[in-house]
Amino acid sequence: MEAELGRVLDTLPGMVFTALSNGSIPFVNKSLADFFGLSACPPAGWTWPIMASADEASAIVERFRTMLSSSKPFEIEMPVRSANSVHRLLRIRCNPMFSDGQVDRWYGVAVEADPPSPTLRENETDFQRIVDSIPVPVAVTTPTGDVEALNTPALDYFGMSLEELKNWKAMEVVHPDDLQATIADQLEAHRTGTFYNVESRHLRADGVYRWHNVLGLPFRGQEGNILRWFHLLVDIDDRKRTEMELAAREREAHMVLESIPAGIGVLAADGTVEAINGPLLRYYGRTLDQLRSWAGTDVVHGDDMPRMIAAVDDAVASGQPYDLEVRLRRSDGAHRWFQVTGHPLRAEDGTVVRWYALHVDIDDRKRAEEALAERERESRFIVDGIAGMIAIFSPVGKLIGGNQQILDYFNRPLEELDNWATNGITHPDDLQLCIDSFMGSIASGEPYDYETRFLRHDGVWRWFQLRGLPLRDADGQIVRWYGLLTDIDDRKRAEEGLRRSEAFLADAQRLSRTGSFSLKLGGDEITWSAETYRIFGVDPSTRVTLRTVLSRLDPGSLTTVQHVLDRACEGSGDFDYDITLIMPDQSVKNVRVLAHSERNKDGEQELTGAVQDVTESRKAEEALSQARSELSYVTRVTSLGVLTASIAHEVNQPLAGIVNNANTCLRVLTADPPNMEVAKETASRMIRDSNRAADVIVRLRALFSRKPPAIEALDINEIASEVIALASSDLQRGRILVKPEFGSNLPRVAGARVQLQQVIMNLLRNSIEALTPVKERPRQIVIKTEGNDGKEVRLSLIDTGVGFGSQDVRRIFDPFYTTKQDGMGIGLSVSRSIVESHNGRLWARANVDQGVTMTFTVPVHELSRDRARQSPDDGNQPPPPSGPPTT
């Protein structure tokens, strides 16, 4: 529009110029330029060439600037020097143009104070010719606003005659929405005699309204009175539409800024804050004015503020984008990590107009990255600890790491293994497959899974299955590949064998006595393998139904199977149960069933699984149990020789008492007179000692009998006391002190008296033998009993003997392992078997100072459990050990 206005002003029949409030002249039209001999617009800093003394010239210029500093039209005369250096007197009239209530610039007309005066007709002719030559519509009106003349472009634009357009206010040549505002602006301009500038839409001859910038310029006579008005209609429709589109875009941009779920800050070219969108203001909980001086607030974490200020200052100075991660303070005082990215908006000449700073909350991502880094460290430990070959590749397929197993297999450095396609470690027949599969996954990002042969360091080729998965970051970008190299050479050989015979699976099922089945729970369809037919004793040609299965079950198994079917119908699940089959010949089979219930591809609930004939293994287990019982008996018998001295001591004491009491009885009876009271007393002692001897024999016969164990409610303290009594001779001979620390009010345990006595006797004998070599410290054994949450009772033997080494503690319960020269190595093994058969535990632990603590637990008898809850151990008993026992 500026260029168009310049062309219009150049065509006016007078000298026109514009001026700024500081007195500078940015524009003169062609007439004024010719008057002063200027080739084009005045150069920067051009002022009027005043013909006067220095003081007078300075006073004129100052007066001109003073008038420009006001907002009222003015007129001034200036003595100037023309292009041919002739002294001329110019009369200058200036009117202000306002923008937003402020003077934007001044428009002025300069005329000679004494111009020649042509005839009126010549002036009119020249005037019309000049007006017609203006390339935009021009209307000339009288001071009262009546249309006096229109140039040819105006008549052509409206497609009407001068007479028709004289009545323009009553016609639609001005858009109805703009008509009243246009009339009002013109009337105000006529009233004040000032330049006016209005935008309105005018109807073109083809019926289209287009926007025009209407400039109203008053033409004054020598006395200053307005002779007529010139109205220039400059077409600004394209600019107006662009402005409206730009305004719409700005509104849209503002809406976009407000709707973006991230913080947006708009900075001026010098870095000052111009605007902040709603999400960021709400995050800070502050106003725009409070955030304009953000560098002096606490909205950025104190540790990050210097980096933030430096980044913005550097960006403003260099014009380059900035990107950094800082912690920003939320309205509730919490700091969260943000990625702040600033990008400049540049004008067509490349200068920065403003900056847009995007604030993206990355706090969750930062925490995820920290967690990822921690997981990567953990992954490194896991990779190093995996008993397999792990290879780690970069996103482009470069080998960057591996665990020790892969280095040991190839016995080559990692750098050399990276050249796997050329260094000969891949079998030539498999090389192309490896390249295609591996590089194809690297390019596509999809996992790979293929098989190849690798050359071991000893020259042997072995088959491997290579599986690779990509590790991606939060943005989905691959950061590395993890490859698992699984040695499948043995499996490949097995598969080769499987391919040689389709009957191999059937043979394997037959050999393992394991069959498979499938049952669709919605119907009666059952599928059996050949071995399942054999296990159930059904002809393979027979159609199998659920009735067929149920007909083979004993009553207890029938209930179990019905319960499993009910649960399987309810939903997915795993099942492991035993059943008993009654065969047609009335023989019995023990069968273990492993099954899984889930919906198949057709949406039907299906129960699939395997059945295994475990009849022989059950028989073997019973034989093993019998062998253990025999071994337990052998252990007790072997203890007989060691206990001989104890037996003699236990029996000799009551026998000696009987003899002494008999002699005493004879003496008092043969006395004169006989002492009957003393005789009765000695006879009673003889009976007592006889019973003592009988009790010893009963206990020994029970210990070494072969009767099957009977589980009953036992007092663990009583059993321990009996064993101490049996071993008293060995304890006295070895000068060993036994300290019983029996818990009070202990519930009775469920066990076999003889077997538990044997366990305690084995542990006590081991402690006695461990104390025999001890010379420098007291020989002592503590036998402690205590309860454990009312569920079990614990017995511990704590000695101060020689103990055992770190290697022995892991093997002392192995059968036939012993550290004694004459030991059999079965005592502790049998003891553990006995304890575990009682559903208890037996373990050993080295003491802190010296010696060993042997501990076992036995469950509480069910009938004694309630009594144990009502009478708990006293509060001085130590707590049960945390975690599983160390053996």
Side-chain angles (χ1 to χ4, degrees):
M1 188 192 75
E2 295 283 348
E4 184 68 24
L5 180 59
R7 288 195 299 271
V8 172
L9 295 178
D10 281 341
T11 61
L12 289 178
M15 296 181 287
V16 181
F17 66 92
T18 63
L20 302 179
S21 297
N22 60 5
S24 62
I25 311 297
F27 171 81
V28 298
N29 70 345
K30 187 174 184 304
S31 298
L32 190 58
D34 292 342
F35 182 84
F36 286 110
L38 300 176
S39 59
C41 286
W46 183 84
T47 59
W48 302 103
I50 298 175
M51 291 286 292
S53 63
D55 293 339
E56 291 178 351
S58 177
I60 294 172
V61 171
E62 185 63 28
R63 181 165 172 260
F64 179 67
R65 290 177 177 173
T66 301
M67 292 179 174
L68 289 175
S69 63
S70 67
S71 58
K72 296 180 179 179
F74 66 90
E75 182 176 319
I76 187 174
E77 290 185 349
M78 288 188 181
V80 297
R81 181 175 58 248
S82 64
N84 53 7
S85 299
V86 175
H87 181 276
R88 297 291 182 90
L89 180 64
L90 292 182
R91 181 178 291 112
I92 296 174
R93 298 186 182 92
C94 290
N95 286 341
M97 184 180 76
F98 293 90
S99 176
D100 297 330
Q102 301 293 327
V103 176
D104 182 51
R105 64 182 61 196
W106 292 78
Y107 284 87
V109 177
V111 296
E112 292 188 58
D114 50 354
S117 181
T119 62
L120 180 60
R121 185 175 299 276
E122 291 174 345
N123 285 343
E124 290 178 353
T125 302
D126 291 340
F127 171 76
Q128 186 63 43
R129 186 170 59 252
I130 292 171
V131 169
D132 285 339
S133 67
I134 297 175
V136 296
V138 175
V140 182
T141 62
T142 65
T144 60
D146 297 327
V147 177
E148 185 180 46
L150 292 168
N151 69 347
T152 302
L155 296 174
D156 293 341
Y157 177 85
F158 291 109
M160 299 182 185
S161 65
L162 175 61
E163 294 301 323
E164 290 175 323
L165 289 172
K166 285 184 178 181
N167 194 27
W168 63 273
K169 294 180 182 180
M171 303 171 64
E172 293 185 353
V173 294
V174 179
H175 196 284
D177 295 342
D178 305 333
L179 179 61
Q180 295 305 319
T182 301
I183 294 173
D185 287 341
Q186 287 189 6
L187 291 176
E188 180 63 19
H190 289 169
R191 186 184 67 80
T192 59
T194 58
F195 168 88
Y196 77 89
N197 183 352
V198 65
E199 293 180 354
S200 57
R201 287 162 288 184
H202 296 81
L203 185 64
R204 198 167 59 186
D206 59 359
V208 175
Y209 281 101
R210 292 184 63 84
W211 281 96
H212 287 79
N213 187 188
V214 182
L215 303 174
L217 301 172
F219 181 74
R220 299 177 184 272
Q222 294 182 359
E223 292 78 13
N225 59 315
I226 297 176
L227 301 179
R228 58 174 58 89
W229 284 83
F230 293 94
H231 308 271
L232 282 73
L233 282 71
V234 181
D235 192 318
I236 61 169
D237 193 78
D238 295 336
R239 190 206 73 187
K240 192 70 175 179
R241 295 184 186 278
T242 302
E243 289 177 352
M244 290 189 293
E245 183 179 354
L246 179 59
R249 289 182 179 177
E250 288 180 350
R251 290 192 299 271
E252 182 180 356
H254 179 74
M255 294 175 61
V256 170
L257 286 178
E258 291 300 315
S259 62
I260 291 176
I264 302 294
V266 183
L267 310 180
D270 60 357
T272 58
V273 177
E274 289 186 348
I276 295 176
N277 71 340
L280 193 55
L281 289 175
R282 289 190 291 273
Y283 178 85
Y284 288 129
R286 308 192 185 192
T287 64
L288 176 61
D289 291 337
Q290 291 174 326
L291 293 173
R292 291 188 188 278
S293 302
W294 60 270
T297 67
D298 61 349
V299 296
V300 181
H301 194 283
D303 296 341
D304 304 333
M305 180 66 83
R307 292 192 298 112
M308 185 72 176
I309 295 174
V312 175
D313 290 346
D314 292 345
V316 170
S318 64
Q320 297 300 316
Y322 62 91
D323 187 351
L324 73 163
E325 296 176 354
V326 294
R327 286 161 289 183
L328 302 182
R329 189 177 188 273
R330 199 167 55 189
S331 58
D332 59 1
H335 284 89
R336 291 182 64 84
W337 280 99
F338 276 77
Q339 182 176 20
V340 183
T341 306
H343 286 274
L345 176 66
R346 299 181 183 275
E348 294 182 357
D349 59 358
T351 58
V352 176
V353 177
R354 61 175 54 89
W355 291 82
Y356 288 93
L358 176 66
H359 300 63
V360 179
D361 189 326
I362 60 170
D363 195 76
D364 295 335
R365 191 198 78 189
K366 289 285 285 188
R367 298 182 188 277
E369 288 175 352
E370 293 173 359
L372 178 60
E374 180 63 26
R375 286 198 298 271
E376 287 183 350
R377 287 192 293 271
E378 293 177 357
S379 299
R380 181 71 254 180
F381 293 142
I382 293 173
V383 167
D384 289 339
I386 290 176
M389 296 165 59
I390 301 295
I392 305 174
F393 300 92
S394 70
V396 296
K398 179 177 177 58
L399 183 64
I400 58 176
N403 62 354
Q404 189 60 40
Q405 286 82 349
I406 195 171
L407 299 177
D408 293 341
Y409 180 87
F410 292 107
N411 197 20
R412 300 191 187 190
L414 195 67
E415 295 77 11
E416 186 176 342
L417 292 179
D418 186 36
N419 301 319
W420 56 270
T422 58
N423 59 12
I425 64 173
T426 307
H427 197 284
D429 296 343
D430 307 332
L431 183 58
Q432 192 59 47
L433 171 65
C434 292
I435 294 175
D436 294 342
S437 300
F438 180 76
M439 297 311 297
S441 291
I442 294 297
S444 66
E446 296 296 325
Y448 61 82
D449 187 345
Y450 60 94
E451 297 174 357
T452 186
R453 285 163 285 185
F454 283 134
L455 183 65
R456 198 166 60 189
H457 62 85
D458 58 0
V460 175
W461 293 98
R462 292 188 65 84
W463 279 98
F464 281 83
Q465 182 180 31
L466 277 66
R467 293 177 178 173
L469 291 174
L471 175 66
R472 301 178 183 271
D473 60 16
D475 299 326
Q477 299 297 318
I478 296 176
V479 294
R480 63 175 56 92
W481 286 81
Y482 285 97
L484 174 63
L485 286 70
T486 305
D487 188 325
I488 60 169
D489 195 76
D490 297 334
R491 192 198 77 189
K492 289 287 286 187
R493 298 179 188 278
E495 288 176 352
E496 186 65 25
L498 287 174
R499 282 191 292 269
R500 288 194 301 264
S501 173
E502 294 181 356
F504 182 82
L505 178 60
D507 292 341
Q509 287 193 351
R510 179 177 55 80
L511 293 173
S512 64
R513 299 174 181 265
T514 303
S516 57
F517 70 91
S518 171
L519 167 62
K520 293 183 178 179
L521 298 173
D524 197 29
E525 181 181 349
I526 299 179
T527 302
W528 275 359
S529 68
E531 183 61 18
T532 306
Y533 277 101
R534 190 199 65 77
I535 292 174
F536 278 82
V538 176
D539 185 353
S541 61
T542 304
R543 180 179 179 273
V544 180
T545 64
L546 188 58
R547 183 186 299 275
T548 307
V549 177
L550 300 180
S551 66
R552 287 287 194 267
L553 302 178
D554 71 348
S557 300
L558 187 62
T559 303
T560 300
V561 170
Q562 190 61 53
H563 177 66
V564 169
L565 292 176
D566 293 341
R567 287 181 55 199
C569 291
E570 294 174 358
S572 301
D574 296 323
F575 306 94
D576 185 352
Y577 56 95
D578 294 333
I579 58 176
T580 301
L581 304 182
I582 306 300
M583 308 305 291
D585 59 359
Q586 299 304 308
S587 62
V588 175
K589 281 187 180 181
N590 296 309
V591 176
R592 183 185 181 189
V593 183
L594 296 172
H596 176 71
S597 174
E598 65 179 359
R599 292 194 178 277
N600 57 25
K601 62 181 181 180
D602 299 325
E604 301 172 319
Q605 198 72 25
E606 187 173 3
L607 182 68
T608 58
V611 293
Q612 184 179 23
D613 185 349
V614 295
T615 305
E616 297 300 327
S617 64
R618 292 293 168 81
K619 292 179 179 179
E621 288 176 0
E622 294 175 359
L624 178 60
S625 177
Q626 181 64 29
R628 285 178 175 173
S629 177
E630 294 292 337
L631 183 59
S632 174
Y633 173 74
V634 170
T635 303
R636 294 198 301 272
V637 172
T638 56
S639 302
L640 182 60
V642 180
L643 296 177
T644 301
S646 297
I647 297 171
H649 177 78
E650 290 291 319
V651 176
N652 282 337
Q653 280 188 346
L655 290 178
I658 292 172
V659 172
N660 291 333
N661 288 322
N663 291 330
T664 302
C665 184
L666 289 175
R667 285 197 306 271
V668 298
L669 289 176
T670 58
D672 189 14
N675 191 339
M676 298 305 294
E677 293 297 326
V678 174
K680 291 180 181 180
E681 182 178 350
T682 55
S684 298
R685 286 198 296 267
M686 291 170 59
I687 294 172
R688 181 199 64 189
D689 291 339
S690 297
N691 289 333
R692 283 181 57 194
D695 288 341
V696 171
I697 298 303
V698 169
R699 289 200 302 269
L700 292 175
R701 290 183 63 189
L703 181 62
F704 297 102
S705 68
R706 299 183 60 134
K707 294 181 180 179
I711 302 300
E712 55 185 329
L714 302 175
D715 186 342
I716 195 69
N717 293 344
E718 179 182 328
I719 295 174
S721 299
E722 292 174 354
V723 174
I724 294 173
L726 289 174
S728 60
S729 177
D730 285 344
L731 295 171
Q732 292 175 3
R733 185 167 53 253
R735 298 182 179 181
I736 299 172
L737 174 63
V738 175
K739 293 177 61 177
E741 295 183 1
F742 295 157
S744 59
N745 298 322
L746 294 180
R748 292 182 176 272
V749 300
R753 175 182 295 270
V754 173
Q755 290 189 351
L756 293 182
Q757 284 180 337
Q758 180 179 354
V759 171
I760 300 174
M761 177 62 74
N762 288 344
L763 301 181
L764 185 59
R765 284 182 55 205
N766 286 344
S767 295
I768 293 173
E769 293 173 356
L771 286 167
T772 301
V774 174
K775 305 294 184 184
E776 69 282 0
R777 58 179 179 270
R779 301 174 181 176
Q780 177 177 292
I781 300 175
V782 176
I783 301 180
K784 179 190 293 186
T785 60
E786 54 190 335
N788 187 10
D789 296 334
K791 297 180 181 179
E792 59 185 13
V793 173
R794 184 167 56 242
L795 185 143
S796 301
L797 278 83
I798 309 165
D799 64 50
T800 58
V802 294
F804 45 68
S806 59
Q807 298 297 326
D808 296 333
V809 71
R810 292 191 295 269
R811 301 187 58 194
I812 58 175
F813 295 104
D814 294 345
F816 307 109
Y817 175 79
T818 180
T819 59
K820 297 178 287 189
Q821 293 182 353
D822 57 348
M824 296 179 60
I826 60 174
L828 289 179
S829 176
V830 170
S831 297
R832 170 173 273 190
S833 298
I834 292 174
V835 171
E836 290 180 349
S837 68
H838 281 71
N839 295 322
R841 299 170 297 155
L842 171 61
W843 68 93
R845 175 176 56 84
N847 297 333
V848 176
D849 296 330
Q850 61 273 328
V852 176
T853 298
M854 304 292 296
T855 305
F856 71 87
T857 62
V858 184
V860 172
H861 195 277
E862 290 295 332
L863 297 179
S864 302
R865 191 179 297 274
D866 294 338
R867 183 176 63 84
R869 293 195 185 101
Q870 298 170 2
S871 303
D873 293 344
D874 56 40
N876 297 324
Q877 298 300 328
S882 60
T886 302
T887 59

